[in-house]
Amino acid sequence: MTKRIAVLGAQWGDEGKGAIIAQLAENADIVVRAQGGDNAGHTFYTKEGKKVVTNIAPSGICFPNVSNVIGNGCVVNLETLAKNIADYSPELYISDAAHLILDYHRVLDRVREKSRNKGAIGTTQRGIGPVYADKMNRVGIRMGLLKHLERLEQEIRYAVEQKNKEFISYGIEEFIDADKLLEQMRPLFKQFAPCVIDTGVYLHHAVKENKRMLFEGSQAAMLDIDHGTYPAVTSSNTTMGGMLMGTGLGLRAIERGIGVAKAYTTRVGEGIFPTEGEPYQNIKGYKRGEFILTDTEKRDLREGGLSDAIIFRYIREIADEYGATTGRPRRVGWFDMVALKKAVRVNDLDSLAITKLDCLDGIGTLKVCTAYQHSETGQMITDFPSDQQELEGFIPVYELFKGWGSTKGIRDYEQLPKETKKYLGFIAETLNVPISLIKNGCGLEDYILMDGLW
Ligand code: IMO
Ligand code: MG
């Protein structure tokens, strides 16, 4: 029996990790976040039909008897944490070595975006980059200080002074007032101080006691600070290595890695996205619910004559591809095996969970990208390059698949349309990773399990 499972994003985030995590969290003893902060948005529905969105709180908060841990690799916005847990009274532990996000990190996130000569990243503006920069510069403020309020206040005052000086160089005239900031933060410090412990020790004992532990990945492989599409990435290690670093556990702690991927691909923010349907500039103004297919387009969708751009506008609406954290319309594209191959390799994934399969229902022709080819020289790339610029002039090479009618309500893999099995089989065989779970709807029951999870 597997006792310790990591669920990791295998694309550019928003793969529907929340639903997979919630399914496992319900029967877990401990749910752990190891990296990232409230840039994440994990959405799922409980048995009672309640919609839950977690950002920094681990997704075990709404299940009874689950202990929730925010590991040392995380960066913590206490305001968000308080909101995330407001409806529950979860058992919660926060690492004394996790870093605290404060107002000035969010201000810096905003202004540093504007001053980048390589162009904006389109961050979630939660202060993630600046707080991790402080950590690496060894000037960060760690959660352990919540137990030593006097020192904490001193350090925050000093940090505010330094950041206000930095603000001048960005031309910001609204300085942070340390007194006001502390006044606003004190109730939160008081609320969360009892949760602060050395989570490394706690988790180590949990492993020894053979507890069921779920490692909740946030963001995704292609947003990893080392392995993603740098510089358009987040500031933490979102891959398996980050799970160990961010919890203080050793090599053998995690027994199984499940990578979550949508049956197509999405991305929010800037950065390369080889299989996207239309230029990012076009979609920025799109609003939820504004796009409806005409009757002719509906026919063409079924019969396979519609342009990629229109197909993805359709998918964006039916799949509600708008950011859970920021509300931004997501960029949509075909399934990209070159990117997935990297996620499988870097995480050494044991299996895949494929989500939103039903969102491809009724589309006449589907494409899966198997390589990138240079439009002039014909050169082929099958390993995602570290340098995004190396993909200039390359276009995706697609394998075409006949679509299918409907996958809704199906609970058994064998019952899926043969075209669906061909599509999924191609992905699993080419990547040489089995698919262990398929989501074909947002409801808790809308899944096909191919392999016991725990
Ligand atoms: P979950 O866990 C999708 C993206 C941002 C931006 C880049 C850097 O819900 O999958 P940051 O604020 O982290 O400095 O932004 O990373 N990004 C995400 N995209 N899902 C997420 O989390 C993301 N977290 C960050 O859009 O492009
Ligand atoms: Mg998300």
Side-chain angles (χ1 to χ4, degrees):
M1 279 285 268
T2 313
K3 288 286 194 162
R4 299 181 298 275
I5 300 179
V7 174
L8 302 150
Q11 295 165 318
W12 275 277
D14 302 324
E15 298 92 348
K17 292 182 287 294
I20 312 293
I21 287 161
Q23 210 158 350
L24 285 157
E26 195 179 2
N27 298 308
D29 296 311
I30 302 176
V31 181
V32 196
R33 274 281 301 267
Q35 43 71 229
D38 59 339
N39 46 348
H42 298 171
T43 310
F44 57 93
Y45 293 84
T46 65
K47 279 203 175 99
E48 295 74 37
K50 188 176 168 185
K51 182 177 179 177
V52 183
V53 181
T54 57
N55 306 101
I56 176 60
S59 293
I61 49 164
C62 57
F63 302 107
N65 310 318
V66 177
S67 160
N68 296 276
V69 176
I70 296 176
N72 58 276
C74 293
V75 288
V76 187
N77 177 335
L78 290 176
E79 257 175 317
T80 312
L81 182 57
K83 279 189 200 128
N84 282 175
I85 65 163
D87 290 349
Y88 316 97
S89 30
E91 187 178 340
L92 175 70
Y93 301 106
I94 308 171
S95 166
D96 53 5
H99 281 246
L100 181 63
I101 305 178
L102 289 164
D103 270 349
Y104 50 77
H105 293 121
R106 284 182 288 273
V107 174
L108 287 170
D109 200 354
R110 218 170 43 236
V111 295
R112 284 183 188 167
E113 274 275 270
K114 287 197 189 125
S115 69
R116 291 172 53 84
N117 69 350
K118 287 183 181 161
I121 294 169
T123 74
T124 59
Q125 308 213 342
R126 298 298 191 276
I128 305 298
V131 73
Y132 276 116
D134 278 358
K135 170 176 170 171
M136 291 308 175
N137 281 327
R138 293 154 292 181
V139 295
I141 294 174
R142 307 214 296 184
M143 296 301 297
L145 285 183
L146 262 62
K147 300 221 173 266
H148 306 279
L149 281 179
E150 210 170 302
R151 265 170 66 205
L152 174 65
E153 296 208 359
Q154 259 174 23
E155 291 214 9
I156 291 179
R157 282 182 195 283
Y158 182 73
V160 166
E161 218 177 282
Q162 298 303 310
K163 299 301 178 196
N164 279 342
K165 281 185 201 155
E166 194 179 339
F167 284 6
I168 297 172
S169 69
Y170 288 109
I172 308 174
E173 279 160 18
E174 265 173 64
F175 297 112
I176 303 263
D177 179 331
D179 287 322
K180 265 199 202 139
L181 175 64
L182 287 169
E183 201 174 307
Q184 173 202 334
M185 295 303 295
R186 269 185 208 113
L188 291 164
F189 293 156
K190 200 169 156 208
Q191 180 183 353
F192 289 106
C195 303
V196 176
I197 61 166
D198 182 339
T199 52
V201 173
Y202 177 81
L203 293 171
H204 173 78
H205 287 301
V207 171
K208 293 284 165 221
E209 287 161 18
N210 214 17
K211 298 266 198 232
R212 272 190 183 178
M213 298 167 71
L214 172 64
F215 296 79
E216 174 171 359
S218 70
Q219 290 80 51
M222 298 310 280
L223 291 173
D224 185 282
I225 184 78
D226 285 274
H227 306 291
T229 47
Y230 192 88
V233 292
T234 190
S235 298
S236 66
N237 283 113
T238 57
T239 44
M240 195 59 105
M243 288 287 138
L244 302 181
M245 181 283 291
T247 53
L249 290 170
L251 177 63
R252 281 164 290 273
I254 299 173
E255 296 169 307
R256 183 165 174 197
I258 302 176
V260 187
K262 276 178 193 165
Y264 46 95
T265 313
T266 63
R267 167 161 211 179
V268 275
E270 307 288 336
I272 194 157
F273 183 3
T275 64
E276 80 184 318
E278 62 180 317
Y280 184 31
Q281 291 310 321
N282 293 10
I283 73 159
K284 280 186 175 163
Y286 291 175
K287 302 235 160 46
R288 225 184 219 114
E290 271 183 2
F291 178 75
I292 301 168
L293 286 179
T294 63
D295 285 342
T296 328
E297 286 170 340
K298 274 185 198 158
R299 192 199 60 213
D300 290 346
L301 180 77
R302 276 194 311 273
E303 294 178 1
L306 212 54
S307 73
D308 287 359
I310 301 292
I311 293 176
F312 295 139
R313 286 199 74 172
Y314 159 79
I315 291 179
R316 183 175 299 108
E317 293 311 316
I318 59 150
D320 195 29
E321 294 296 358
Y322 290 87
T325 302
T326 59
R328 291 178 288 179
R330 295 183 185 137
R331 301 154 73 187
V332 185
W334 297 115
F335 196 87
D336 186 341
M337 304 276 269
V338 186
L340 242 294
K341 184 177 156 192
K342 184 161 191 180
V344 170
R345 169 169 60 82
V346 175
N347 290 307
D348 193 11
L349 292 178
D350 293 290
S351 69
L352 288 174
I354 300 289
T355 61
K356 297 211 165 180
L357 180 67
D358 55 304
C359 299
L360 297 183
D361 287 1
I363 301 175
T365 306
L366 300 167
K367 299 183 192 171
V368 172
C369 167
T370 53
Y372 309 134
Q373 183 169 34
H374 198 278
S375 52
E376 282 161 22
T377 66
Q379 187 200 340
M380 297 281 245
I381 289 183
T382 53
D383 282 301
F384 208 102
S386 301
D387 181 359
Q388 297 185 72
Q389 302 261 324
E390 283 175 25
L391 282 177
E392 207 144 293
F394 282 80
I395 52 170
V397 177
Y398 288 115
E399 183 91 14
L400 299 190
F401 288 85
K402 192 169 177 298
W404 53 82
S406 172
T407 60
K408 291 207 180 74
I410 295 174
R411 299 284 166 268
D412 172 10
Y413 185 80
E414 286 314 316
Q415 303 293 314
L416 284 172
K418 66 175 190 306
E419 293 83 5
T420 319
K421 285 192 272 194
K422 200 168 167 200
Y423 182 83
L424 295 172
F426 178 77
I427 291 172
E429 274 160 38
T430 313
L431 294 170
N432 198 20
V433 186
I435 294 171
S436 53
L437 183 98
I438 295 163
K439 281 289 292 175
N440 55 341
C442 324
L444 261 188
E445 274 79 48
D446 295 322
Y447 67 88
I448 300 169
L449 194 59
M450 333 255 297
D451 181 7
L453 283 177
W454 281 111

